[in-house]
Amino acid sequence: MARTKLIAKYAALDTPDLGERIHKTITDYIEEYGIERLPYLEVNGRWTGTLSISDGGWRGDFDFLYPVLSMCKVDRKGNVSADMTKIMKRVANWREYLHTPHDDDKYLGVCDNTFEDSNYMEDDANELHSAFYKSEIDAFINSENPDLLEHDRALTEIDNLFRDSSIGADSSLRNFGEGFAVHRIDSAEDYRKIMEAIEADAAAGGGYSWINPDFDMDSIEDLFDDKGKEQDWMQWIEDLRNDRFGELPEDFDGLAEEE
């Protein structure tokens, strides 16, 4: 059950100054790109020590991965900035997750006996892998008649391109398994297409549906009804900047966590 190899693999990320590095990454992003897209973005820390902010990409199971806004604060004047207290809370949670052995470690490939270095790609390969995946998923979603079986075959072929040739090709189909977060689904229409493709594949005998039979397809719109997260974000910031909420406390934080 030891995790010594996994912990050593993430040593370049799990450094004493990780909190400061995350703070700088968020601060630099805001200075360069602004705050409009922040509700969509996540901070991703890889085993290589690389920190990035994006709306998708190939994610390792033990990567540092949290929404940007969960590590920010908004003052009463609508200024958005990184918050070290919130960052350190996420860092502590991630470290506990990385360092704490679990009964299933041997099945997850993270105990010393099942750990495989070949499962970890360098940054350049990871970026290319993500780009291939995004392209294929975009093509699948934008297809008039998305074929889940063909889509899974394409994803498996992409995976095999990035595997060590000594390991051999993986003939299994993934059915949106590992790495699906490589592409963020933000639209009810895209989500509906995926659900309908899964249902059609199961009905044709090509696989099984993990969709709850009580799930109402018409309720998909409700799942994405938090569009306020995006469309109201800048309006809310604008209201703060124009004092439309009246006099707020000096220590106001619009992103304060609930007690």
Side-chain angles (χ1 to χ4, degrees):
M1 266 180 59
R3 288 193 182 198
T4 53
K5 292 183 179 179
L6 176 70
I7 293 168
K9 196 70 176 179
Y10 276 87
L13 179 62
D14 190 13
T15 58
D17 65 343
L18 177 57
E20 288 81 3
R21 290 163 54 206
I22 294 170
H23 191 283
K24 185 178 187 306
T25 298
I26 295 173
T27 300
D28 289 348
Y29 180 93
I30 292 174
E31 288 179 354
E32 183 171 359
Y33 299 106
I35 65 171
E36 287 80 4
R37 295 269 310 153
L38 291 186
Y40 280 127
L41 304 177
E42 299 161 324
V43 175
N44 179 216
R46 303 196 67 242
W47 67 273
T48 57
T50 300
L51 288 166
S52 63
I53 292 180
S54 69
D55 62 354
W58 190 265
R59 313 305 200 189
D61 289 340
F62 288 87
D63 284 1
F64 180 93
L65 187 65
Y66 288 94
V68 174
L69 285 184
S70 73
M71 294 178 282
C72 288
K73 61 184 176 183
V74 178
D75 69 17
R76 58 182 178 173
K77 295 301 181 183
N79 300 308
V80 184
S81 59
D83 184 290
M84 184 58 78
T85 299
K86 295 176 186 175
I87 290 172
M88 292 310 298
K89 181 177 180 180
R90 270 73 191 173
V91 168
N93 288 343
W94 173 73
R95 282 182 172 143
E96 181 179 6
Y97 178 59
L98 179 72
H99 288 262
T100 306
H102 189 277
D103 290 341
D104 291 333
D105 280 359
K106 63 182 178 180
Y107 306 111
L108 301 174
V110 296
C111 77
D112 290 354
N113 293 330
T114 61
F115 184 85
E116 291 285 350
D117 279 302
S118 58
N119 291 332
Y120 294 83
M121 284 184 277
E122 295 288 346
D123 290 337
D124 289 348
N126 185 77
E127 186 174 346
L128 190 58
H129 196 185
S130 296
F132 281 13
Y133 247 67
K134 285 183 178 181
S135 177
E136 167 54 32
I137 294 174
D138 278 338
F140 170 75
I141 290 175
N142 292 323
S143 170
E144 290 188 8
N145 298 295
D147 186 323
L148 187 65
L149 191 60
E150 287 300 318
H151 175 59
D152 276 349
R153 284 199 184 102
L155 296 183
T156 301
E157 288 177 7
I158 291 170
D159 288 344
N160 291 335
L161 287 174
F162 289 89
R163 284 196 174 91
D164 187 330
S165 58
S166 64
I167 300 175
D170 182 1
S171 60
S172 65
L173 299 178
R174 63 169 54 259
N175 270 332
F176 293 104
E178 172 191 3
F180 183 52
V182 73
H183 185 95
R184 191 175 180 122
I185 304 299
D186 291 310
S187 133
E189 181 182 354
D190 289 349
Y191 191 78
R192 182 189 300 277
K193 271 199 167 186
I194 292 171
M195 296 296 102
E196 290 175 348
I198 292 171
E199 292 282 67
D201 186 60
Y208 67 93
S209 174
W210 41 260
I211 301 173
N212 187 319
D214 296 327
F215 180 75
D216 180 7
M217 284 289 189
D218 292 334
S219 69
I220 291 177
E221 296 291 342
D222 296 335
L223 294 176
F224 292 85
D225 197 31
D226 64 346
K227 274 297 183 182
K229 186 172 67 174
E230 176 208 2
Q231 66 188 27
D232 293 340
W233 164 249
M234 290 308 298
Q235 181 60 57
W236 176 64
I237 293 293
E238 188 68 20
D239 289 344
L240 280 171
R241 291 174 177 174
N242 287 282
D243 299 319
R244 293 185 181 129
F245 298 118
E247 188 67 26
L248 296 171
E250 188 172 344
D251 62 350
F252 172 82
D253 176 6
L255 295 174
E257 299 171 291
E258 294 182 5
E259 294 296 337

